[in-house]
Amino acid sequence: MTDTPGLLTIRRPDDWHLHLRDGAMLQAVLPYTARVFGRAIVMPNLVPPVTSVAAAAAYRARIMAALPAETDFTPLMTCYLTDETSPEEVARGFAEGVFTAAKLYPAGATTNSASGVTDIGNIMAVLERMAQIGMTFCVHGEVTDGDVDIFDREAVFIDRVLEPLVRRLPELRIVFEHATTSQAVQFVNSASANVAATITPQHLHINRNAIFAGGLRPHAYCLPVAKREEHRLALRAAATSGSPKYFLGTDSAPHPQSAKESGCGCAGIFNAPHALESYATVFEEEGALDQLEGFASVHGAAFYRLPVNDERVTLERAETRVPDTLAGPDCALVPFHAGESLRWRVRTP
Ligand code: DOR
Ligand code: ZN
């Protein structure tokens, strides 16, 4: 980190949890991430989901073809786990450098999770193999039972699924994706070095009141849903603590404005356009700008056993107004912080 007043230069960051979509949407949203981030763990919840080595290699090629000229960005692909996934397919993809990780969507938990896993027992052989080969398991940590309150689904998942799994497979490397609760922070803190978590900008900025502020606010709705203020504060403390267990994962998840502002609005917050500025604002508010580089650019690479990026990015302390909408493919996209101002701006070369 370089410390000139008003300027903050850090190693180029990576995004360890990102939805890039496909086709025209991919084309529209990829430049925002590739401008700032060196690599991203790309979520596999396309329609149909990315469940094979061949599908992931083809998706990676489409991402590379959609990259703007002169951008240097590496997509890190994930395998969407289903009840039928074979350990051989996952291990082959990892050995061939196609899969960086495999992702658990509990069936029905979120967008395009219908083909997800119905019971963790159904993928135990896959997880055993992943533990043996040191491949990371990315977890959407929510139970899906309709009788569990939506605000409790993460905490119940930790009790019912994750704690037993960690006892059974202590060698498995687990990223608890988009942690939203103090229970997740406690769990990750007390687990071994094989367990880490990503934290999104939105869960550091908003609590659940934001979803209902003066009316229903679809652009504050994502899954896992934002929780009470005490949880937001626990996440802020974790992210800015300097612990190598926490790293940047935006969960940027674009949906057309019309699909968000609907009688049944889609879950997902499109934060890619100002993600680093959004995190920097939080770290500054917490008096922890010196911890931003670790969280954004170092801890994730270390967990995934990858080198850190050599390049640097510079943030300047300048008021940045976030537009109300951005252009999507034949639609508008409403970015996180739409219409607000952030205190930082990423300098473009
Ligand atoms: O809010 C979310 N949107 N959470 C997820 O887990 C999936 C994502 C999406 O793909 O839209
Ligand atoms: Zn996600």
Side-chain angles (χ1 to χ4, degrees):
M1 191 184 96
T2 320
D3 207 5
T4 313
L7 289 183
L8 179 62
T9 297
I10 60 171
R11 269 184 197 280
R12 194 169 182 209
D14 302 298
D15 185 347
W16 300 99
H17 182 130
L18 176 65
H19 298 270
L20 281 177
R21 313 302 194 207
D22 212 346
M25 185 66 98
L26 166 65
Q27 202 83 41
V29 302
L30 176 61
Y32 294 112
T33 294
R35 184 176 79 95
V36 175
F37 295 92
R39 296 165 289 199
I41 289 274
V42 179
M43 288 298 123
N45 61 333
L46 303 183
V47 187
V50 180
T51 55
S52 68
V53 183
Y59 184 29
R60 182 168 66 181
R62 295 197 296 280
I63 296 168
M64 294 310 287
L67 270 179
E70 315 280 307
T71 37
D72 177 21
F73 171 78
T74 305
L76 303 172
M77 311 311 291
T78 55
C79 177
Y80 182 116
L81 298 171
T82 73
D83 287 345
E84 274 77 49
T85 304
S86 77
E88 290 69 36
E89 184 74 4
V90 171
R92 184 171 68 85
F94 187 61
E96 291 178 3
V98 177
F99 291 145
T100 297
K103 169 86 188 212
L104 170 68
Y105 286 106
T110 186
T111 309
N112 302 335
S113 64
S115 319
V117 175
T118 59
D119 184 322
I120 191 95
N122 295 338
I123 55 166
M124 206 46 75
V126 174
L127 298 181
E128 283 166 2
R129 180 70 74 86
M130 288 172 64
Q132 280 163 15
I133 63 180
M135 182 175 176
T136 296
F137 180 44
C138 297
V139 175
H140 183 114
E142 288 190 287
V143 294
T144 56
D145 325 26
D147 57 351
V148 178
D149 188 280
I150 191 162
F151 294 103
D152 296 333
R153 287 182 185 177
E154 184 171 290
V156 172
F157 182 90
I158 292 168
D159 286 349
R160 286 193 195 162
V161 182
L162 219 43
E163 279 180 347
L165 178 66
V166 167
R167 274 198 300 276
R168 181 166 173 174
L169 286 178
E171 298 307 316
L172 183 62
R173 302 179 66 71
I174 299 175
V175 177
F176 193 95
E177 303 283 356
H178 42 53
T180 67
T181 58
S182 64
Q183 289 92 335
V185 170
Q186 267 161 30
F187 169 76
V188 171
N189 284 346
S190 58
S192 80
N194 289 335
V195 179
T198 56
I199 304 179
T200 74
Q202 58 265 24
H203 293 112
L204 296 170
H205 276 279
I206 64 171
N207 64 32
R208 65 191 196 177
N209 286 348
I211 307 164
F212 309 101
L216 200 52
R217 302 281 183 169
H219 302 292
Y221 173 56
C222 65
L223 288 170
V225 73
K227 308 294 193 299
R228 285 178 184 276
E229 179 64 359
E230 68 198 60
H231 298 289
R232 186 181 77 100
L233 297 179
L235 297 169
R236 283 188 159 226
T240 59
S241 67
S243 164
K245 284 172 164 283
Y246 297 99
F247 37 90
L248 185 158
T250 63
D251 199 13
S252 182
H255 293 277
Q257 181 175 18
S258 57
K260 296 281 300 168
E261 298 174 9
S262 140
C264 185
C266 293
I269 294 181
F270 177 47
N271 59 32
H274 296 88
L276 192 58
E277 294 90 334
S278 179
Y279 283 113
T281 300
V282 169
F283 276 66
E284 184 177 37
E285 285 167 0
E286 295 293 323
L289 275 176
D290 57 334
Q291 303 295 346
L292 181 64
E293 184 174 44
F295 178 80
S297 318
V298 179
H299 302 163
F303 188 86
Y304 278 91
R305 296 172 169 154
L306 293 168
V308 291
N309 296 314
D310 285 332
E311 311 82 43
R312 301 284 190 282
V313 297
T314 296
L315 286 144
E316 59 187 327
R317 211 178 179 302
E319 184 125 329
T320 304
R321 207 179 142 74
V322 179
D324 291 338
T325 58
L326 292 164
D330 291 323
C331 67
L333 299 171
V334 178
F336 185 44
H337 299 297
E340 296 171 15
S341 285
L342 294 168
R343 295 187 199 167
W344 291 90
R345 179 186 310 148
V346 176
R347 269 202 186 166
T348 35

